[in-house]
Amino acid sequence: METRDLILRYGFVAGKRYTRRQKLKFLLGFTQDLEELGWRTEAKETTEKNLKNVNLYIGDLGKARVIAEAYYDTPPVSLTPGAYRFFSVSCRRNERMYAVIVPMLLILAAGALFFWKASASLFDEAGRLSRAGVLNVAVLFVLLALMYKCRKGIPGKRNVIRNTSSLLALYRLAEQERRNKRLAFVLTDDGCGAGLGARVLKGRKRRDQIVVHLSCVGAREQLYLLYDSGTQNEAGLPGLLKLCAENGLEALDIRSKPDWKLEGFEGADLYVAAGRPEKDGFFLGKKQLLEAELSEENIEKTTAFLAGLEKILR
């Protein structure tokens, strides 16, 4: 499938994966596409703290040496100021909170203004229903319906970079390595929340397996490999760093960033993301985050790196 067709399909037609219905619809389509390439797929649902999570497992997780992971859910509309911060559950929580509170306040303000200016009794002086009163009741029901619809926040529309671009990289890799039993792919849920899907994957993987997490790899920024030298195999580090250099990824050891506060960063895993390191964290500008076009060069670099990683581990 051409990249343009993939972007249209998963970036726009199935570009919102915010509600459970939207997520399941996307998973059904992606499953069919991967099965047509000859991959075995399995969708598994888990529940934690009354939150339902559905992960899609592609390939033989038991035989795989490298597991490439990307979250498939999409974020709420971004109403928080500043750049997107990676590895921050608290920032993602605030993002969702703003997406709920701001629309609710606007609806309440609109309702208060309407009833202040146009409030009327439901019945006229003759005891009959008044038109103005019926209009007031209709407006009240509309406001309640809007509040109910916004109770979980408003979904964002521009999701090509976060995280559709990473899904496209996985699809390209699955297309190229369709007979490779040492590779597996996992599409995780709740990546725009507390990362429940990634925690479920952590419980299923073996200690000798390497998980590579992808996030925003299609952004028009430098592509980085973030790793923890303190928990990585020292013997394998030279080969890993050489592979990064060969494929245009800049390797970044988080041990060199003691001021960074990283939430949900697993030291035994690897992370590929496009962004920029700053004094207090790893960021992607809001303009780059909301772009409708992605960097095909970064997609190619990501797939080449993942394919090469499996080969150097043989």
Side-chain angles (χ1 to χ4, degrees), residues 81 147 195 198 215 223 235 251 279 291 297:
M147 292 180 71
S215 183
L223 202 60
K279 182 179 179 180
E291 282 185 335
E297 181 183 1

Short mmCIF file of all heavy atoms in Angstrom, two decimals, residues 81 147 195 198 215 223 235 251 279 291 297:
data_model
loop_
_atom_site.label_atom_id
_atom_site.label_comp_id
_atom_site.label_asym_id
_atom_site.label_seq_id
_atom_site.Cartn_x
_atom_site.Cartn_y
_atom_site.Cartn_z
N PRO A 81 -0.81 25.16 26.92
CA PRO A 81 0.23 25.94 26.22
C PRO A 81 1.55 25.18 26.16
O PRO A 81 1.80 24.25 26.92
CB PRO A 81 0.36 27.19 27.11
CG PRO A 81 -0.02 26.72 28.47
CD PRO A 81 -1.09 25.68 28.27
N MET A 147 -22.86 18.69 27.19
CA MET A 147 -22.04 18.40 28.36
C MET A 147 -21.77 16.90 28.48
O MET A 147 -20.67 16.47 28.82
CB MET A 147 -22.73 18.92 29.62
CG MET A 147 -22.78 20.43 29.70
SD MET A 147 -23.60 21.04 31.20
CE MET A 147 -22.37 20.61 32.43
N GLY A 195 -0.67 5.06 30.05
CA GLY A 195 0.19 4.01 29.48
C GLY A 195 -0.16 2.62 29.93
O GLY A 195 0.73 1.77 30.09
N ALA A 198 1.07 -0.28 27.57
CA ALA A 198 2.51 -0.57 27.65
C ALA A 198 2.82 -1.38 28.91
O ALA A 198 3.71 -2.24 28.89
CB ALA A 198 3.30 0.74 27.65
N SER A 215 7.25 6.74 19.08
CA SER A 215 6.35 7.85 19.35
C SER A 215 6.71 9.04 18.45
O SER A 215 7.86 9.49 18.45
CB SER A 215 6.43 8.27 20.81
OG SER A 215 5.52 9.31 21.10
N LEU A 223 15.49 12.53 14.54
CA LEU A 223 15.05 11.26 15.11
C LEU A 223 16.08 10.79 16.14
O LEU A 223 17.28 10.75 15.85
CB LEU A 223 14.89 10.23 14.00
CG LEU A 223 13.98 9.03 14.23
CD1 LEU A 223 12.54 9.48 14.51
CD2 LEU A 223 14.00 8.11 13.01
N ALA A 235 27.97 -5.13 26.18
CA ALA A 235 28.59 -5.75 25.01
C ALA A 235 27.85 -5.38 23.73
O ALA A 235 28.45 -5.32 22.65
CB ALA A 235 28.61 -7.27 25.18
N ALA A 251 21.78 8.91 18.98
CA ALA A 251 21.63 8.16 20.22
C ALA A 251 21.77 9.11 21.41
O ALA A 251 22.66 9.95 21.46
CB ALA A 251 22.68 7.06 20.30
N LYS A 279 16.74 21.23 28.49
CA LYS A 279 17.35 21.11 29.81
C LYS A 279 16.58 20.19 30.74
O LYS A 279 17.16 19.41 31.50
CB LYS A 279 17.49 22.50 30.43
CG LYS A 279 18.18 22.49 31.79
CD LYS A 279 18.31 23.89 32.35
CE LYS A 279 18.98 23.85 33.72
NZ LYS A 279 19.12 25.21 34.31
N GLU A 291 1.14 19.06 12.57
CA GLU A 291 1.27 19.09 11.12
C GLU A 291 0.49 17.95 10.46
O GLU A 291 0.37 16.85 11.03
CB GLU A 291 2.74 18.99 10.70
CG GLU A 291 3.50 20.29 10.85
CD GLU A 291 4.92 20.19 10.32
OE1 GLU A 291 5.46 19.08 10.28
OE2 GLU A 291 5.48 21.23 9.93
N GLU A 297 11.10 10.38 5.30
CA GLU A 297 12.50 10.01 5.55
C GLU A 297 12.65 9.42 6.95
O GLU A 297 13.34 8.42 7.15
CB GLU A 297 13.40 11.24 5.40
CG GLU A 297 14.88 10.94 5.62
CD GLU A 297 15.75 12.18 5.53
OE1 GLU A 297 15.20 13.28 5.33
OE2 GLU A 297 16.98 12.05 5.68
#
